[in-house]
Amino acid sequence: MFHFHPHHIKRTLLGLLGITLVAGSLTACGHHRHHESGMAMSAEEFAQKRDKVVDKVASRLELNAEQKQKLASLGDVLHAQRQAVMGTTKEPRAEIKALIAGEKFDAARAQALVNEKTTALQTRSPEVIAALAAFYNSLNPRQQQKVREYLDGRG
């Protein structure tokens, strides 16, 4: 039998929230299908979506061909990390709902989910960081400033 202290439950819930936010933000980089298996996107569909985003960013930042390629690579790496975080889950909300489906919160399953998602993030993070650094470092100072302004909500 498990005995959880309030700080364990709080940590678990905060961990789940963090994973949900990360997965959500990665999903935002993905697609917006509205059917049951919404997680499935063909390689061709992803490439089309990625290319559209790359072209939009490239026009705003005035990227050259090499920078566009680095941005496309970053998109591919983010997509791979998103798939790793999502795992075999077809309906992430169903997993979360299952935690509260019974009379008691399934803390053991919640912790297992957090561990699973955290491992996926940790495994892929070096590749994501390297791709992000390669793209950002390829930008000239004016382009970098535009990125900072965009992140500050001014762009």
Side-chain angles (χ1 to χ4, degrees):
M1 182 167 178
F2 290 101
H3 292 283
F4 285 95
H5 295 297
H7 73 279
H8 288 138
I9 294 172
K10 184 177 178 182
R11 255 184 27 206
T12 300
L13 290 176
L14 288 174
L16 276 175
L17 176 63
I19 295 300
T20 302
L21 289 174
V22 169
S25 65
L26 292 175
T27 300
C29 294
H31 63 94
H32 298 285
R33 275 207 185 156
H34 298 290
H35 60 74
E36 273 184 50
S37 67
M39 303 311 294
M41 182 191 316
S42 73
E44 182 179 300
E45 290 171 320
F46 170 74
Q48 288 173 350
K49 179 80 170 180
R50 183 206 57 215
D51 291 345
K52 190 182 273 188
V53 171
V54 167
D55 288 342
K56 186 175 182 178
V57 172
S59 69
R60 289 186 180 170
L61 292 178
E62 301 171 18
L63 300 180
N64 62 33
E66 180 186 344
Q67 292 168 325
K68 280 178 74 169
Q69 195 281 323
K70 288 180 189 292
L71 181 58
S73 293
L74 174 60
D76 291 340
V77 169
L78 285 172
H79 181 67
Q81 185 178 43
R82 176 181 172 268
Q83 288 180 317
V85 169
M86 298 316 288
T88 58
T89 302
K90 296 297 180 206
E91 295 184 44
R93 286 189 181 149
E95 278 191 343
I96 302 299
K97 287 167 77 174
L99 298 174
I100 58 171
E103 214 174 282
K104 300 214 184 252
F105 181 79
D106 188 349
R109 179 63 189 137
Q111 187 62 57
L113 277 173
V114 168
N115 293 344
E116 181 183 308
K117 305 303 181 189
T118 301
T119 299
L121 281 172
Q122 288 175 333
T123 301
R124 295 278 184 168
S125 290
E127 189 178 1
V128 171
I129 291 167
L132 183 55
F135 169 66
Y136 186 79
N137 293 340
S138 76
L139 301 177
N140 65 41
R142 183 180 50 76
Q143 292 167 320
Q144 290 177 348
Q145 183 59 36
K146 282 184 178 183
V147 170
R148 287 189 290 272
E149 288 171 0
Y150 176 77
L151 291 175
D152 285 340
R154 295 180 284 164

